Amino acid sequence: MSSNPMEFWFEEMHTNNVKMAIRVNKHLYSDTSEFQRIDVFESPEFGKFLTSNGNVIFSEQEEFTYDEMIVHVPMAVHPDVKRVLVIGGGDGGVARELSHYKEIEVIDIAEPDKMFVDVCRKYFPDNAIGLEDVRVRLYYEDGLRFLRKCKDKYDLIINDATDPTGHEAGLFTKEFYGNCFKALHDDGIMVYQHGSPFFDEDEENCRAMHRKAVKSFPVMKVYQAHIPTCPSGYWLFGFASKKYHPLRDFDPKKWEERGIKTWYYTTHLHSGAFMLPKYVEDMLKEEENAN
Amino acid sequence: MDLERQKQAPLYKAIESFRRQRVVPFDVPGHKRGRGNKELVDFLGIKCVEIDVNSMKALDNLCHPVSVIKEAEELAADAFGAKHAFMMVGGTTSAVQSMVLTACKRGEKIIMPRNVHKSAINALILCGAIPVYIDPKVDTKLGIPLGMEIADVKKAIAENPDAKAIMINNPSYYGICSDLKTIVDLAHQNNMLALVDEAHGTHLYFGEGLPMNAMTAGADMAAISMHKSGGSLTQSSILLVGEGIDEGYVSNIVNLTQTTSASYLLLGSLDISRRNLALKGKESFGKVCDMAAYAREEINEIDGFYAFGSELINGSSVYDFDITKLVINTRGIGLTGIEVYDLLREEYDIQMEFGDLSNVLAYVSIGDRIQEIERLAGALNDIARLYSKPTGDFFCAEYVTPIVKATPQEAFYAPKEKLPIESTIGRICGESVMCYPPGIPILAPGEIITSDILDYIKTAKEKGCSMQGPASEDITELLVLK
């Protein structure tokens, strides 16, 4: 007999022809905000996980991957980050990783959905602890709106939004990249979730993002990570920068000296993450040449 | 409006009940609920094609409604405060034409603003009536036509006491309203009909704090684009009839040109939308007004853009302003509205309603969300940062009083010849010459070409206005009546 008394599964369509299923112990929460339907489940394999409109946003067992990758990669490149803006990121995971860095003076978070923050505070305290850092200022505001008023203000912008088709669609557009460019200092960096390149449906979004970012920033590189619950388990990040190159300006020694404890990121992995499969390289090149 | 009654949607209900009946079709359309055209079903979906049916007893007939369409039209009339409402399936063009054809016959006069919609001029070609134009004032700074002033309306009436009707745009594409009530009263005092082109004004009947609508002003007929702000399917429309008009005669006029196979997709969408407007319109348009106001505020924060609003109201040529119309003047960043329109489409994946030489128009409606407003404001902000140019001189053409020598119908059918433009003085023009900005015709078919007009065209061209209409693109030649 199975350890589970009943067959209770969360399913997510990754394409029309591919489906992921996670066995669920309990459905802990469900409500609909002005922006999205939010659900929280408890599962044997991934621990608690949160979904938005039926898509997994993060799980306890794997959130360290993208929170570390989206924070430590730019932080190990930029020599002196004082002001950071996080777009989305209301769960607090990104802020938690940022809080390891003493030189940071301000962590602004623009998250439109208060319900999302409240749910994370209640069910994911290990992430939400990041929001408690004294340097964090949380704004319940649309990311694009927040950015419009910012000029030459940040060293680093982290776009934590994941879904280019949902309520965060505005954060995957040319106007978003342009407004980020304007909000950054002359040596600023923006990193963002670049989606998964594998399935045809996701590939087009991935291409469009790269096309827009390449036009907006002089340095634009893509790096990768393995994230089990995302479509095909393979995920990309974008590194868009006005000055610093993610490998040439990378300072592993300085980062090692900080002694930050990680589960995914290492300085070896930093370099490796920018070495992409041929099909991804080709896809990105095609979009660069299309300009 | 009887709110309890407005909860019904008799035509929609009849279509839904027909869907469940599984009737065997030995009538048109030949696709027979889609079975004969699989690609069409894949394209539109079974729910759509299975109600694409012909008039039948259970679903009434738009040409002579006796049951569910009649009830739906009565509900629409009640919702809009009209004596009668006609559901239309040929767009608001057919509603505007039906108004003109109802009001005047060959050789009779109709007073209208010079920037009247093409559909009204085309109606004059059909019926042979004579247009008497009124100067819509122009805002030369913004490059847009405004509304009719009362003094000009009085003058036109005094000079043409035999005119049969006055046509009024309410509001214009740009949100500008004339003093509708006074114009309607003037028309009635002089035994003329008041016809209102309300293609951009469905919401005026349901929202709060918006300009006066035609039926409230006592107009005789009004053409309502339900598919614009009303939420119904493209091409569906409503023609409203007031107290002084015999709807039987209007029905004859409508049936002269309207299809005998009206689409139930369009009719059903009209019935559902009318119910939504009646029950939820106040709330929906309250949101639209809030969104437009927010967008205006945010866009006006960006240097170089000017989203104009109620501050234009001046008591005459801008008697009132429809705040749901989000028009953004782009001259301050040194770009034309057309350039901004193209940039938004090509670089930012944002489709605007319209771009002219100095403005872009964003259509804000019940389908919008604040996220999309943020995108528009974000994109405009980025355009100002990346594409701004030094602002050059801006010239906006002013009004030219036309001299009508032949009716649009005579001009349309007359034999014509092409002549070099300088040798056309004294001839009757055979085509339209529109000048942008402000988008008002300089010449229309049937009007005499004077040396003043040729000088004017030359100057406007030199100053950078765009001339449209003539077959010869650079206007070196003009088509004239033989």
Side-chain angles (χ1 to χ4, degrees):
Chain A
M1 196 181 122
S2 138
S3 60
N4 278 283
M6 63 173 171
E7 296 300 315
F8 187 19
W9 294 82
F10 165 85
E11 294 183 346
E12 177 182 338
M13 300 300 286
H14 279 176
T15 77
N16 282 334
N17 309 307
V18 177
K19 186 160 76 176
M20 173 188 66
I22 301 174
R23 186 188 287 281
V24 167
N25 295 333
K26 262 186 191 166
H27 190 181
L28 299 173
Y29 177 86
S30 181
D31 202 354
T32 302
S33 74
E34 192 187 334
F35 303 96
Q36 58 192 328
R37 174 180 166 165
I38 302 172
D39 289 271
V40 180
F41 301 91
E42 189 191 85
S43 67
E45 203 66 52
F46 291 100
K48 285 199 285 258
F49 64 96
L50 181 143
T51 66
S52 161
N53 299 328
N55 299 309
V56 175
I57 298 298
F58 64 87
S59 72
E60 279 181 335
Q61 292 304 314
E62 56 171 0
E63 56 81 23
F64 68 92
T65 312
Y66 38 83
D67 286 334
E68 288 183 14
M69 286 303 277
I70 210 164
V71 169
H72 300 315
V73 170
M75 288 305 294
V77 173
H78 195 296
D80 188 25
V81 173
K82 290 208 162 52
R83 300 177 59 89
V84 186
L85 170 63
V86 184
I87 308 276
D91 60 292
V94 167
R96 182 196 63 215
E97 293 306 314
L98 285 168
S99 65
H100 294 304
Y101 296 87
K102 300 209 164 31
E103 71 270 32
I104 294 177
E105 293 167 1
V106 170
I107 303 169
D108 285 339
I109 300 179
E111 163 67 60
D113 195 349
K114 183 165 185 304
M115 183 186 286
F116 180 78
V117 176
D118 293 342
V119 170
C120 292
R121 281 205 160 114
K122 180 158 182 212
Y123 294 99
F124 301 93
D126 291 347
N127 281 37
I129 187 143
L131 302 175
E132 304 309 317
D133 190 292
V134 290
R135 295 166 291 179
V136 167
R137 298 188 295 200
L138 183 54
Y139 299 88
Y140 292 115
E141 209 172 308
D142 179 273
L144 261 175
R145 179 174 202 270
F146 188 89
L147 274 170
R148 258 200 320 278
K149 295 171 215 140
C150 303
K151 198 176 174 189
D152 193 14
K153 202 172 166 193
Y154 294 102
D155 301 299
L156 173 62
I157 296 177
I158 295 176
N159 178 9
D160 199 21
T162 54
D163 179 11
T165 55
H167 76 279
E168 293 163 329
L171 306 180
F172 296 87
T173 58
K174 182 178 153 87
E175 57 268 29
F176 177 76
Y177 298 118
N179 280 291
C180 281
F181 187 93
K182 180 182 63 113
L184 284 167
H185 292 319
D186 284 343
D187 61 349
I189 297 173
M190 174 185 70
V191 285
Y192 59 97
Q193 310 255 14
H194 205 302
S196 175
F198 188 76
F199 295 123
D200 286 351
E201 294 172 22
D202 301 323
E203 183 189 326
E204 185 40 49
N205 281 325
C206 214
R207 281 175 179 272
M209 267 186 253
H210 192 62
R211 199 157 56 226
K212 290 165 193 161
V214 160
K215 274 189 187 173
S216 308
F217 283 84
V219 180
M220 175 55 225
K221 299 290 165 195
V222 169
Y223 61 105
Q224 63 190 351
H226 165 239
I227 299 174
T229 60
C230 76
S232 81
Y234 178 48
W235 196 251
L236 300 180
F237 298 90
F239 182 104
S241 163
K242 288 188 174 181
K243 183 176 166 191
Y244 302 115
H245 188 279
L247 298 177
R248 287 199 289 274
D249 295 301
F250 169 44
D251 190 343
K253 200 165 147 283
K254 185 179 166 198
W255 194 84
E256 299 282 2
E257 284 165 5
R258 296 172 183 276
I260 296 172
K261 189 165 183 309
T262 57
W263 279 264
Y264 194 89
Y265 180 82
T266 71
T267 49
H268 285 307
L269 183 117
H270 181 116
S271 306
F274 286 89
M275 307 302 151
L276 302 171
K278 176 92 169 39
Y279 78 93
V280 178
E281 246 183 31
D282 289 349
M283 178 190 93
L284 298 174
K285 256 190 215 129
E286 264 179 50
E287 294 309 320
E288 286 161 24
N289 296 336
N291 284 310
Chain B
M1 182 167 62
D2 179 348
L3 274 179
E4 201 46 46
R5 209 174 141 221
Q6 289 293 331
K7 287 181 185 162
Q8 300 168 15
L11 180 53
Y12 166 56
K13 202 174 128 200
I15 297 171
E16 279 297 339
S17 121
F18 164 79
R19 191 205 291 283
R20 288 190 294 270
Q21 284 167 3
R22 305 274 158 208
V23 174
V24 179
F26 277 106
D27 62 350
V28 291
H31 65 65
K32 305 262 170 130
R33 321 287 193 262
R35 286 196 300 273
N37 193 342
K38 187 179 171 303
E39 282 145 307
L40 188 69
V41 182
D42 291 344
F43 176 48
L44 295 175
I46 187 72
K47 280 203 90 171
C48 192
V49 295
E50 71 183 5
I51 61 155
D52 180 44
V53 292
N54 199 29
S55 292
M56 59 180 76
K57 201 169 179 190
L59 295 180
D60 209 352
N61 185 332
L62 185 63
C63 300
H64 295 286
V66 293
S67 60
V68 284
I69 292 180
K70 184 165 182 271
E71 287 169 45
E73 288 188 337
E74 282 166 7
L75 284 164
D78 176 52
F80 283 91
K83 183 175 79 163
H84 188 77
F86 289 92
M87 291 177 144
M88 307 290 287
V89 293
T92 305
T93 289
S94 73
V96 168
Q97 294 184 347
S98 298
M99 294 198 298
V100 174
L101 298 185
T102 300
C104 41
K105 300 191 287 285
R106 180 188 300 264
E108 292 179 341
K109 288 180 186 165
I110 177 167
I111 299 171
M112 45 178 56
R114 181 67 164 165
N115 60 332
V116 72
H117 191 256
K118 183 165 73 182
S119 57
I121 300 295
N122 290 347
L124 299 183
I125 294 175
L126 289 177
C127 77
I130 306 163
V132 174
Y133 293 112
I134 290 188
D135 168 15
K137 298 298 173 191
V138 169
D139 185 322
T140 51
K141 217 171 117 249
L142 295 173
I144 60 167
L146 302 174
M148 296 187 284
E149 289 185 341
I150 296 302
D152 291 335
V153 176
K154 281 183 177 161
K155 185 163 166 268
I157 291 174
E159 288 169 2
N160 303 278
D162 53 337
K164 294 293 173 192
I166 302 180
M167 180 166 260
I168 307 137
N169 292 339
N170 186 61
S172 75
Y173 217 163
Y174 299 94
I176 309 290
C177 294
S178 305
D179 182 356
L180 190 61
K181 181 80 179 71
T182 306
I183 297 173
V184 168
D185 290 346
L186 280 171
H188 289 165
Q189 285 155 18
N190 292 279
N191 297 317
M192 297 175 191
L193 295 176
L195 314 177
V196 184
D197 179 351
E198 267 183 336
H200 302 284
T202 309
H203 51 293
L204 305 188
Y205 289 83
F206 303 97
E208 282 182 317
L210 294 169
M212 183 184 287
N213 63 61
M215 287 299 123
T216 304
D220 299 286
M221 299 177 86
I224 311 283
S225 268
M226 279 289 275
H227 69 88
K228 293 198 176 90
S229 54
S232 66
L233 287 177
T234 297
Q235 208 174 308
S236 64
S237 182
I238 283 181
L239 173 61
L240 300 178
V241 174
E243 284 305 326
I245 299 274
D246 171 20
E247 67 260 32
Y249 183 65
V250 180
S251 170
N252 288 342
I253 294 283
V254 169
N255 282 327
L256 284 178
T257 51
Q258 184 151 282
T259 175
T260 51
S261 311
S263 160
Y264 278 90
L265 297 171
L266 299 183
L267 294 172
S269 84
L270 280 174
D271 201 26
I272 292 174
S273 307
R274 181 272 313 153
R275 181 169 71 177
N276 280 339
L277 290 170
L279 301 180
K280 293 181 277 186
K282 204 198 297 186
E283 186 197 341
S284 309
F285 293 120
K287 278 191 200 147
V288 172
C289 290
D290 290 347
M291 267 191 289
Y294 171 71
R296 202 168 267 128
E297 210 172 280
E298 292 291 308
I299 290 165
N300 284 335
E301 293 266 306
I302 307 167
D303 272 350
F305 286 114
Y306 173 36
F308 51 82
S310 312
E311 69 276 9
L312 296 190
I313 293 173
N314 60 17
S316 57
S317 59
V318 187
Y319 186 77
D320 208 345
F321 185 81
D322 171 11
I323 52 171
T324 69
K325 302 282 188 292
L326 182 60
V327 190
I328 304 151
N329 190 273
T330 61
R331 302 305 302 198
I333 61 160
L335 297 181
T336 65
I338 301 155
E339 286 172 311
V340 173
Y341 174 98
D342 287 344
L343 280 169
L344 284 169
R345 182 69 187 87
E346 282 154 28
E347 299 291 328
Y348 298 90
D349 300 322
I350 294 175
Q351 178 63 54
M352 299 296 270
E353 168 70 13
F354 173 80
D356 66 22
L357 274 188
S358 39
N359 306 283
V360 277
L361 169 58
Y363 202 84
V364 184
S365 81
I366 51 176
D368 280 304
R369 300 171 302 178
I370 207 76
Q371 293 103 286
E372 276 79 38
I373 303 281
E374 299 295 357
R375 281 198 58 184
L376 176 62
L380 290 173
N381 197 34
D382 207 37
I383 285 175
R385 181 178 68 90
L386 294 175
Y387 303 99
S388 281
K389 282 197 276 200
T391 51
D393 288 344
F394 175 63
F395 179 79
C396 175
E398 301 219 20
Y399 188 68
V400 187
T401 307
I403 307 163
V404 179
K405 278 284 172 194
T407 65
Q409 189 183 56
E410 286 160 353
F412 184 86
Y413 287 109
K416 298 177 202 66
E417 60 181 336
K418 213 175 242 182
L419 287 180
I421 190 163
E422 57 279 3
S423 47
T424 57
I425 295 172
R427 301 291 293 264
I428 296 172
C429 195
E431 57 189 348
S432 280
V433 182
M434 281 284 264
C435 178
Y436 292 93
I440 296 178
I442 294 176
L443 282 166
E447 293 169 7
I448 199 139
I449 302 166
T450 63
S451 59
D452 281 353
I453 287 177
L454 293 189
D455 287 347
Y456 185 92
I457 291 176
K458 192 161 163 272
T459 316
K461 259 171 73 181
E462 282 168 5
K463 301 257 185 175
C465 289
S466 151
M467 298 287 168
Q468 290 172 22
S472 120
E473 269 182 33
D474 50 355
I475 322 200
T476 48
E477 294 177 316
L478 273 182
L479 205 56
V480 296
L481 268 58
K482 272 186 177 166

